[in-house]
Amino acid sequence: MKYLAEFRDGQTARSLLTEIKAITTRPWTIMEVCGGQTHAIIKSGINQLLPAEITLVHGPGCPVCVTPLEFIDKAIYLAGRPNTILTTFGDMLRVPGSSESLLSRQSEGADVRMVYSVLDAIRLARENPDKEIIFFAIGFETTAPGNGTALIQAKRLNLTNFSMLTCHVLVPPALRALLSGETGRVDGYLAAGHVCTITGLTDYKTLCHDFKVPIVVTGLEPVDILEGILHTIRQLEDGRANLENCYTRLVSDEGNLHAQTTLREVFKVCDRNWRGMGTIPESGLSIAEPFKQWNAEIKFDLSHISAEESGECIAGLILQGLKKPSQCLSFATDCTPQKPMGATMVSGEGACGAYYKYSRFLQSTTTT
Ligand code: SF4
């Protein structure tokens, strides 16, 4: 399959590993920003095949994982309203809120439905004019344009029974927050290629310049990731700190201009609370004034809902690359995909879920 098989090719992966080993002379720590990259790394065993000098740590690029508890609680509250259909993507259903999840609320009788696209929610609104249809929208710059397009469509159709609870987040401000932190443990970053497909590269070049750190844009397949690691190590060994694009088959300098126009039309940049990481300035997108009629937070006044995160779950530290899932005392004991204590265990891009699925019997080789 073009653009897939060649990026999973074992011989190519072995050649890249050989090259990485040949040029690595001292310890380096690299963060893969995206949860999809984390899953690919753990699934393919890249973390075990790299030279001992290279440590991979996992970043905040899992949209389900970084959605704060209070938004889960808001969605659960909305699902309990009479005459309401709460729609969202499948990953969100099992994320624990303060006391329950959307799935448990569904089992109690609430009309919670998993959809594959926000357009399914629009269709439900057209088919059920006597009900309120609410779409719980989360995600990075990748999913926001599609949700923005749905809001434009809702406005065009004058769909008064449709609204959206949005918790969109932006990657570059989160990276800036990590780079500005005190920890200083990460030497280089693998940026998420699919996010850069939308945003382009300007913000990432600024981060390289401001923090003198190499950032390499990569895809989600094993060969993509190994190529990204090789380019990062080359820069680190040479003392360079540049933005490199290894995902040229999809990412251009300017990104997707049409998607960017939609984002500017429908959303405005806002401060956003990230689960386990606190409030990061200008790191979120909220619904702009011309579309406020479709903003569920305004329509149903959710200002009274707030939530305190549990102290037992260390997902916040994992999302900042400070801990690994296997260092959590609850990992694979009190916390499993069947009985999750945090979003990182249930999300398809969550680091805890990746460790549980692919390496929980290999803990001794994956904890460092
Ligand atoms: S294993 Fe469970 S409790 Fe521990 S950090 Fe991951 S999600 Fe949280």
Side-chain angles (χ1 to χ4, degrees):
M1 198 183 301
K2 190 160 172 59
Y3 295 140
L4 196 53
E6 64 262 50
F7 293 98
R8 294 178 179 175
D9 179 63
Q11 186 52 50
T12 311
R14 274 189 287 277
S15 301
L16 287 164
L17 276 165
T18 303
E19 215 175 327
I20 290 168
K21 282 176 187 159
I23 65 167
T24 305
T25 64
R26 52 193 158 129
W28 300 113
T29 298
I30 298 173
M31 172 182 280
E32 85 278 357
V33 174
C34 166
Q37 292 169 327
T38 303
H39 270 250
I41 286 166
I42 307 299
K43 182 179 180 181
S44 57
I46 287 174
N47 53 332
Q48 298 173 65
L49 296 168
L50 288 169
E53 292 91 340
I54 299 177
T55 302
L56 296 180
V57 294
H58 318 309
C62 162
V64 174
C65 307
V66 300
T67 301
L69 195 59
E70 75 177 47
F71 267 87
I72 308 297
D73 286 355
K74 285 176 181 177
I76 292 168
Y77 170 82
L78 288 172
R81 288 187 78 258
N83 216 29
T84 296
I85 303 174
L86 190 289
T87 61
T88 191
F89 296 137
D91 272 8
M92 297 308 294
L93 297 186
R94 298 178 58 234
V95 176
S98 291
S99 58
E100 58 181 325
S101 66
L102 283 169
L103 197 63
S104 60
R105 182 49 68 94
Q106 183 191 50
S107 70
E108 292 160 6
D111 197 345
V112 178
R113 300 192 195 181
M114 183 186 85
V115 291
Y116 290 102
S117 160
V118 63
L119 296 180
D120 292 336
I122 293 279
R123 179 181 50 74
L124 278 170
R126 298 182 78 178
E127 291 172 357
N128 297 275
D130 55 333
K131 287 185 186 270
E132 285 289 340
I133 312 300
I134 303 167
F135 180 69
F136 183 18
I138 60 115
F140 290 103
E141 294 94 330
T142 40
T143 45
N147 294 336
T149 303
L151 285 173
I152 292 170
Q153 193 176 1
K155 189 175 187 182
R156 196 177 292 147
L157 296 168
N158 195 25
L159 273 182
T160 55
N161 65 328
F162 175 81
S163 60
M164 205 178 274
L165 174 65
T166 53
C167 188
H168 283 302
V169 282
L170 304 169
V171 175
L175 280 182
R176 180 168 289 277
L178 286 180
L179 284 158
S180 305
E182 296 296 312
T183 55
R185 293 175 64 247
V186 177
D187 301 301
Y189 291 79
L190 302 182
H194 54 308
V195 173
C196 297
T197 302
I198 303 294
T199 62
L201 301 175
T202 304
D203 287 345
Y204 294 86
K205 286 178 183 167
T206 305
L207 287 170
C208 287
H209 175 266
D210 290 354
F211 293 96
K212 308 287 178 276
V213 65
I215 300 179
V216 177
V217 179
T218 75
L220 297 168
E221 298 298 331
V223 166
D224 283 315
I225 290 163
L226 285 168
E227 207 179 357
I229 293 169
L230 174 63
H231 282 251
T232 308
I233 298 292
R234 267 195 199 134
Q235 285 205 47
L236 290 168
E237 293 282 344
D238 292 350
R240 292 181 288 121
N242 301 322
L243 188 279
E244 281 186 77
N245 180 11
C246 288
Y247 204 41
T248 51
R249 64 188 188 277
L250 281 178
V251 174
S252 64
D253 259 26
E254 69 274 17
N256 184 326
L257 298 177
H258 184 68
Q260 291 168 24
T261 301
T262 301
L263 291 181
R264 279 192 296 273
E265 180 183 349
V266 179
F267 297 109
K268 61 183 178 191
V269 173
C270 63
D271 296 348
R272 178 71 79 207
N273 183 24
W274 291 52
R275 196 163 185 158
M277 295 173 67
T279 299
I280 301 176
E282 300 188 344
S283 67
L285 295 174
S286 59
I287 296 174
E289 186 73 14
F291 293 86
K292 70 177 182 186
Q293 178 184 342
W294 291 275
N295 185 340
E297 285 200 83
I298 295 173
K299 189 172 185 177
F300 303 107
D301 187 12
L302 305 177
S303 57
H304 61 288
I305 298 175
S306 61
E308 287 291 320
E309 292 186 40
S310 147
E312 288 173 85
C313 175
I314 62 163
L317 297 175
I318 293 168
L319 291 163
Q320 296 172 74
L322 300 172
K323 293 273 186 193
K324 298 222 172 171
S326 42
Q327 292 172 298
C328 173
L329 294 175
S330 302
F331 175 77
T333 53
D334 293 334
C335 182
T336 65
Q338 291 73 36
K339 206 172 45 133
M341 290 169 61
T344 44
M345 184 54 92
V346 283
S347 167
E349 294 181 74
C352 300
Y355 275 63
Y356 187 90
K357 193 169 179 184
Y358 302 117
S359 72
R360 68 184 186 277
F361 301 117
L362 302 170
Q363 281 186 46
S364 59
T365 57
T366 56
T367 52
T368 57

